[in-house]
Amino acid sequence: AGGAHTCPPVPPESLLDDIVLTHSLFLPTERFLQQLHQQYPWGHEGGLKGGPPARWEEGSGLRRKRAVLAVLLHFLETYKGLLQEEESAGKVIKELYLLIMKDTSLYHELEDEIIKLHQLVETVELKVADETPPPNKQVKPLFRHFRRIDSCLQTRVAFRGSDEIFCRVYMPDHSYVTIRSRLSASVQDILASVTEKLQYSEEQSTRGDALILVTMASSGEKAVLQPSEECVFTTLGINSHLFACTRDTFDSLVPLPEEIQVVPGDTEIHRAEPEDVANHLTAFHWELFRCIHELEFVDYVFHGERGRRETANLELLLQRCSEVQHWVGTELLLCEGLGKRAHLLKKLIKIAAICKQNQDMLSFYAIVIGLNNAAVSRLRLTWEKLPGKFKNLFRKFENLTDPCRNHKTYREVLAKMKPPLIPFVPLILKDLTFLHEGSKTLLDGLVNVEKLHCIAEKVRTVRKYRSRPLCLELEASPAQLQTKAYVRQLRVIDNQNLLFELSYKLEPGSQ
């Protein structure tokens, strides 16, 4: 195997897991399952589509059946709910399942495996294209949809491409239409829904006034989305919005006014205890982290054949990480009094410390990065008022998050932690990208097993971090619910220019 990154030899017991986790790099799911279908030794009654594809050696049937069953069981156990999004894969599995069930009376030795297979197929609830569609699902909220308190307090569950969400699409005059859309909807589908809501005539479309879909950031940066792009909702920036306009009006588009009031005023963070804020951050981030399927890490970096729709949960966690970073700067820079701001700075460092104790390294990292934002770090007078104990503590935090020697200090600290823990997820993606770019997937037409093992080992660390449940005792008092709602729907400024403006107003002469 090539590449700068080397892994230990592949143990035989993990080879099956390596293949199941990484097969999309070299073989699409449907073809992988078809290969499995072809490898199954057909029973005495023949297969579903005629006789056996080849002549098996005498006595090899049971061994081969057991081998195929082992792969199929591991595949179903790993993929679970993801298969509901892949109708073609579901169809192949059902064909293989029916074929295997025919052997139940002939091969009593396979009884345990066949019972487990039956349970897994039932659990996954596989769909086939010609089956009746399920009843209308409940519409799921993303982070900032309508800021409904009842939605934000619900326990987060994993998103799938077929899930429906509400979304606002804005016009150049900042009016908007609300559409109901599948998470995996293409830009073309979204525009069709907008057109229907606006009763936009076909005549206008043929005149060249057809609508385009544009993403607009709070900074004014904008980009036209291509009609074939899918699952755009989870890729939007923190305060980015979707706009529908004609090509003629594209240049005149301006961002919405800041959603957050850039005027002084106490938010919940000034009233809440650091322990409560930190614990609610950890609890929420654990929910988001638990929603991410292991295979999303592979698909995000290696662009598997399922496309972006199956990385929605990972993208939402990455959005949240960025949101927490900007939340730190927003709260500090909207706090006008010097003494009060220094007290808030101390509180944020305390929150970071408690998150570290909770083994929530995602929140810890995000807060430290937020405090190192140039608009915050230049507030010399504020930092000078910080007690020496907290200055020293923050220096230690900076050392822990220092990227030197490939984040050596952080990796050493993480290696000593036992599950449950929430890692700094962007670093896992960075490692996977390095593994991908450092060596080829195929060498002389053969699969690079060492590379696949290294990738699978990295993904298995996620499995280890989540191998035990997180147990945080959180009260259900009105005050706690208020803190919980605040933490789960942070209002932030992500426009760096605006953050600098606020910073210079507070301390014009600081460097």
Side-chain angles (χ1 to χ4, degrees):
H5 195 101
T6 56
C7 275
V10 183
E13 64 273 12
S14 76
L15 185 59
L16 176 57
D17 195 45
D18 292 355
I19 292 168
V20 168
L21 283 171
T22 62
H23 75 76
S24 63
L25 274 66
F26 57 90
L27 198 64
T29 299
E30 190 180 351
R31 277 179 55 205
F32 176 80
L33 290 167
Q34 283 169 349
Q35 292 276 341
L36 208 57
H37 193 292
Q38 289 165 16
Q39 289 300 315
Y40 189 76
W42 300 42
H44 291 73
E45 300 173 20
L48 294 178
K49 299 174 185 172
R55 186 170 176 175
W56 308 117
E57 294 173 20
E58 192 69 31
S60 70
L62 179 62
R63 287 198 308 275
R64 284 176 175 270
K65 287 175 192 288
R66 182 158 270 152
V68 171
L69 262 169
V71 178
L72 183 60
L73 289 171
H74 198 92
F75 178 88
L76 288 170
E77 189 72 56
T78 304
Y79 274 64
K80 291 181 181 166
L82 290 189
L83 289 167
Q84 293 178 25
E85 300 301 310
E86 297 188 49
E87 291 179 358
S88 55
K91 199 163 187 177
V92 179
I93 290 170
K94 283 198 171 180
E95 285 183 5
L96 191 50
Y97 170 70
L98 292 171
L99 188 60
I100 291 166
M101 293 307 285
K102 280 191 171 188
D103 281 343
T104 309
S105 59
L106 299 172
Y107 291 91
H108 296 293
E109 300 93 330
L110 300 176
E111 189 177 347
D112 290 346
E113 288 101 324
I114 289 174
I115 288 171
K116 190 176 179 188
L117 173 65
H118 180 72
Q119 290 169 339
L120 280 170
V121 169
E122 289 275 299
T123 305
V124 171
E125 295 176 355
L126 294 167
K127 294 189 297 187
V128 179
D130 58 3
E131 289 183 355
T132 54
N136 284 341
K137 294 183 182 178
Q138 183 182 1
V139 179
K140 293 185 178 180
L142 292 178
F143 285 149
R144 293 165 213 88
H145 278 112
F146 309 110
R147 300 199 177 277
R148 284 172 47 193
I149 295 297
D150 59 329
S151 294
C152 85
L153 292 178
Q154 292 170 13
T155 301
R156 301 298 296 198
V157 292
F159 277 98
R160 295 287 173 252
S162 59
D163 288 334
E164 290 194 319
I165 61 164
F166 283 123
C167 177
R168 285 178 180 173
V169 180
Y170 290 84
M171 303 299 123
D173 63 357
H174 291 179
S175 62
Y176 62 85
V177 294
T178 302
I179 62 167
R180 181 170 172 163
S181 170
R182 284 177 300 107
L183 190 67
S184 61
S186 68
V187 168
Q188 198 168 359
D189 294 335
I190 295 167
L191 285 173
S193 298
V194 172
T195 300
E196 187 181 346
K197 280 263 186 173
L198 293 172
Q199 296 181 325
Y200 203 71
S201 69
E202 284 184 25
E203 185 188 332
Q204 284 172 301
S205 298
T206 53
R207 281 209 323 255
D209 295 339
L211 294 176
I212 57 173
L213 198 64
V214 177
T215 60
M216 169 79 79
S218 60
S219 62
E221 190 179 341
K222 54 195 173 187
V224 178
L225 296 170
Q226 297 307 308
S228 59
E229 286 187 58
E230 292 186 339
C231 204
V232 297
F233 303 111
T234 55
T235 63
L236 293 173
I238 301 168
N239 290 328
S240 295
H241 297 91
L242 291 176
F243 278 76
C245 66
T246 62
R247 293 207 174 265
D248 290 345
T249 55
F250 173 77
D251 291 334
S252 65
L253 289 183
V254 293
L256 296 179
E258 287 294 333
E259 291 185 2
I260 186 166
Q261 295 298 311
V262 286
V263 292
D266 286 0
T267 59
E268 182 62 25
I269 194 168
H270 293 278
R271 294 182 285 272
E273 291 297 320
E275 292 80 5
D276 296 337
V277 175
N279 288 341
H280 281 295
L281 279 170
T282 299
F284 187 41
H285 296 163
W286 178 256
E287 285 178 27
L288 295 172
F289 184 48
R290 289 281 299 167
C291 286
I292 303 170
H293 197 288
E294 292 171 2
L295 291 149
E296 292 191 46
F297 289 91
V298 178
D299 282 347
Y300 186 88
V301 174
F302 305 99
H303 309 297
E305 82 283 351
R306 284 183 304 282
R308 296 193 70 91
R309 74 186 64 175
E310 290 309 340
T311 60
N313 303 293
L314 177 54
E315 285 169 339
L316 286 172
L317 185 70
L318 294 174
Q319 262 187 29
R320 174 63 178 186
C321 186
S322 176
E323 188 175 61
V324 172
Q325 292 171 35
H326 286 97
W327 161 70
V328 170
T330 300
E331 290 288 12
L332 279 167
L333 295 167
L334 290 179
C335 186
E336 287 203 321
L338 179 59
K340 198 171 185 180
R341 193 163 60 252
H343 181 73
L344 179 56
L345 177 58
K346 176 181 158 183
K347 181 181 269 193
L348 286 163
I349 293 170
K350 261 190 192 176
I351 291 169
I354 298 162
C355 287
K356 182 172 171 286
Q357 284 174 14
N358 289 345
Q359 301 196 143
D360 174 8
M361 300 308 286
L362 185 89
S363 302
F364 168 77
Y365 241 96
I367 293 169
V368 174
I369 292 170
L371 291 172
N372 272 317
N373 184 306
V376 173
S377 60
R378 66 168 295 281
L379 299 173
R380 182 177 53 81
L381 299 175
T382 307
W383 285 93
E384 281 178 357
K385 280 188 78 70
L386 192 66
K389 174 185 168 184
F390 283 88
K391 284 179 185 172
N392 292 334
L393 186 59
F394 186 66
R395 273 190 218 105
K396 287 179 183 175
F397 290 171
E398 286 183 303
N399 289 337
L400 177 50
T401 56
D402 190 339
C404 283
R405 291 182 292 170
N406 195 18
H407 301 266
K408 183 174 182 289
T409 311
Y410 165 73
R411 292 181 195 277
E412 286 172 351
V413 168
L414 201 70
K416 292 173 186 172
M417 291 180 173
K418 293 180 180 176
L421 67 94
I422 309 172
F424 183 56
V425 172
L427 191 55
I428 294 176
L429 298 174
K430 180 186 171 188
D431 289 345
L432 284 169
T433 302
F434 174 74
L435 284 168
H436 183 37
E437 293 176 353
S439 56
K440 293 180 179 178
T441 303
L442 299 175
L443 297 171
D444 300 324
L446 299 174
V447 172
N448 182 349
V449 176
E450 185 186 339
K451 175 178 178 176
L452 298 194
H453 179 58
C454 290
I455 292 164
E457 281 286 279
K458 181 56 67 175
V459 174
R460 275 191 287 269
T461 61
V462 174
R463 190 181 297 173
K464 184 181 79 172
Y465 298 151
R466 303 190 297 201
S467 60
R468 293 184 63 191
L470 178 75
C471 298
L472 277 177
E473 291 187 13
L474 299 170
E475 294 175 23
S477 64
Q480 287 288 342
L481 286 175
Q482 196 171 346
T483 303
K484 180 179 180 179
Y486 164 74
V487 162
R488 289 175 175 237
Q489 289 203 321
L490 300 172
R491 291 174 177 264
V492 305
I493 299 169
D494 66 337
N495 183 338
Q496 189 64 31
N497 290 334
L498 181 52
L499 291 175
F500 268 120
E501 279 179 33
L502 292 168
S503 180
Y504 278 99
K505 278 181 188 174
L506 292 174
E507 296 187 26
S510 293
Q511 294 298 324

